[in-house]
Amino acid sequence: MLAVLSPGQGSQKPGFLSGWLGLPGAEARLTWWSALSGVDLIHLGTEAGADDIKDTARTQPLLVAAALLAAEHLPMHDVALVAGHSVGELGAAALAGVLSAESAVTLAGVRGREMAAACALEPTGMSAVLGGDADEVIAAIERHGLYPANRNGAGQVVAAGALDALAKFAAEPPARARVIALQVAGAFHTPYMAPAERALGAVAAGVPVADPARILLSDLDGAAVNHGREMLRRLVRQVTAPVRWDLVLRNLRDLGVTGIIELPPAGTLAGLAKRELKGENAPEIVTLNTPDDLPAARDLIARHGTASTHEPTPLFRVVVAPSAGLFQPAEGLAEGVDLRQGQVIGQVTTRQGPVEVAAHAAGILTEWLAHHDDPVAPGQPVARIGGQQQ
């Protein structure tokens, strides 16, 4: 299985779009998206300096546009799974068919402007915490009145909040951990961004959506999201909610992903994946930064993606656990049986009692991803349903 990942803020580099402008239609596409997002994407991606593209209002639509521009030159119909980090989720949602490219870029423009405005209300910031025991790090962050805004896996957590609290936290770091201040405008993915969440929600309410055409993992909780309207709600909620990229990486492993392509500007998510998804089954990774990397990316898709054929190809959707507990498949329900929409396929035994797990669509029970008495987390895939796509 192959996954395509869309990076978030902080991955941008001066001039990183320069090589893409020579491809057919690229300049016209960026000109159109510039009009929708309210920023000059061509200038920002080719000539602007590091300070210019560090501006949240400019960076966010630039990153979404870059990911979508590069993906247009890949055989995305052979890609089974997409995910995006923070603002990169807008790009991933478009690649999954939930949003149009125009809607994704427009929402990125609104998101960037409103988050920049929210940052100006109070002096806040973010600091990366590298190393240490994860539980101890989270406890220390919360003890200082801060928020764990990003849990990226591979021993990396990002603390966010008031600048004075961040300074005290850096002076008293958790055991065996380093605290590094990040050059960002404010405390993203915390309650400080509530005004931006409200503003984005008002615009998003009028955006048309469709259900995902491929597996789409949300970094709100790592879950595979099955409905377009639910994904849009998560995209808005994510402005103030922590990014749980650690749970996305966990589900990439659980789903058996064997190949990963990171869209431009690539490198950050590939690095996290290399550190977290190690061992014998580590996925093969391609970082797509310039058009020169397209042959390697296409080759990876050819070897790890869905086989191209004139016959109908399977369309797989993932059923996820609604809560934490022990999974119990429905008795007598074997792989290969036909399921109807809404059919109960099992339950999760929680401390509060059993919670039913139902099929969100009709299809074939292709594979159990969790088995009798397996511990599951909220949003963890438990079964795969297959249908037919012409």
Side-chain angles (χ1 to χ4, degrees):
M1 177 184 288
L2 187 125
V4 168
L5 308 180
S6 180
Q9 195 164 340
S11 58
Q12 69 276 2
K13 311 171 186 72
F16 76 95
L17 274 184
S18 296
W20 296 94
L21 265 292
L23 297 184
E27 185 171 357
R29 180 73 82 198
L30 289 176
T31 300
W32 168 227
W33 289 345
S34 294
L36 296 173
S37 63
V39 298
D40 186 346
L41 296 170
I42 294 177
H43 169 73
L44 292 173
T46 59
E47 300 175 351
D51 289 340
D52 287 334
I53 61 173
K54 189 172 66 177
D55 181 349
T56 299
R58 297 171 176 173
T59 305
Q60 295 198 11
L62 176 63
L63 291 172
V64 173
L68 296 179
L69 185 70
E72 288 185 350
H73 299 276
L74 295 175
M76 288 297 297
H77 56 277
D78 287 336
V79 173
L81 184 153
V82 292
H85 188 281
S86 189
V87 72
E89 276 206 311
L90 285 168
L95 297 177
V98 172
L99 301 173
S100 68
E102 288 76 13
S103 292
V105 171
T106 300
L107 288 175
V110 174
R111 187 183 191 273
R113 288 192 299 273
E114 295 297 338
M115 290 181 76
C119 289
L121 298 177
E122 296 186 59
T124 61
M126 305 177 82
S127 295
V129 187
L130 306 179
D133 177 80
D135 292 337
E136 292 179 6
V137 168
I138 298 298
I141 289 172
E142 294 175 344
R143 189 166 58 248
H144 282 80
L146 300 168
Y147 300 91
N150 293 48
R151 298 178 68 171
N152 288 326
Q156 184 186 117
V157 179
V158 176
L163 290 180
D164 56 348
L166 285 170
K168 292 178 182 178
F169 177 64
E172 304 170 3
R176 303 178 304 282
R178 291 187 298 136
V179 179
I180 303 172
L182 301 178
Q183 298 302 309
V184 295
F188 303 141
H189 302 291
T190 72
Y192 288 100
M193 294 293 106
E197 180 181 346
R198 289 192 295 271
L200 181 63
V203 176
V207 173
V209 298
D211 290 341
R214 50 179 53 88
I215 297 173
L216 172 60
L217 299 185
S218 163
D219 57 17
L220 191 65
D221 54 11
V225 181
N226 300 314
H227 304 291
R229 188 55 57 181
E230 167 65 11
M231 188 63 199
L232 188 63
R233 184 191 69 79
R234 287 167 172 262
L235 289 168
V236 174
R237 176 72 181 89
Q238 186 220 52
V239 171
T240 59
V243 173
R244 294 302 306 270
W245 194 251
D246 58 331
L247 299 181
V248 172
L249 289 172
R250 178 189 300 173
N251 278 347
L252 292 181
R253 179 191 293 114
D254 291 345
L255 287 166
V257 167
T258 57
I260 292 174
I261 295 172
E262 184 180 359
L263 298 171
T268 301
L269 300 183
L272 291 171
K274 288 175 182 177
R275 290 192 292 274
E276 189 74 10
L277 306 179
K278 298 182 290 188
E280 182 180 348
N281 296 320
E284 186 177 353
I285 299 174
V286 168
T287 52
L288 180 56
N289 277 305
T290 74
D292 291 341
D293 300 320
L294 283 171
R298 291 166 180 157
D299 175 69
L300 193 73
I301 293 174
R303 290 184 290 108
H304 294 267
T306 305
S308 179
T309 172
H310 293 295
E311 296 299 319
T313 57
L315 172 63
F316 294 107
R317 294 182 182 272
V318 174
V319 181
V320 300
S323 55
L326 298 179
F327 180 64
Q328 312 288 341
E331 188 173 350
L333 199 59
E335 293 175 354
V337 303
D338 289 325
L339 300 176
R340 66 181 184 278
Q341 184 174 0
Q343 181 175 345
V344 175
I345 67 168
Q347 65 180 27
V348 177
T349 303
T350 72
R351 293 179 180 177
Q352 292 73 36
V355 179
E356 290 185 341
V357 181
H360 52 81
I364 300 169
L365 178 57
T366 305
E367 181 183 8
W368 287 113
L369 300 173
H371 303 279
H372 187 75
D373 282 340
D374 278 355
V376 294
Q380 181 175 331
V382 297
R384 200 192 315 266
I385 297 176
Q388 292 294 319
Q389 175 177 289
Q390 298 296 331

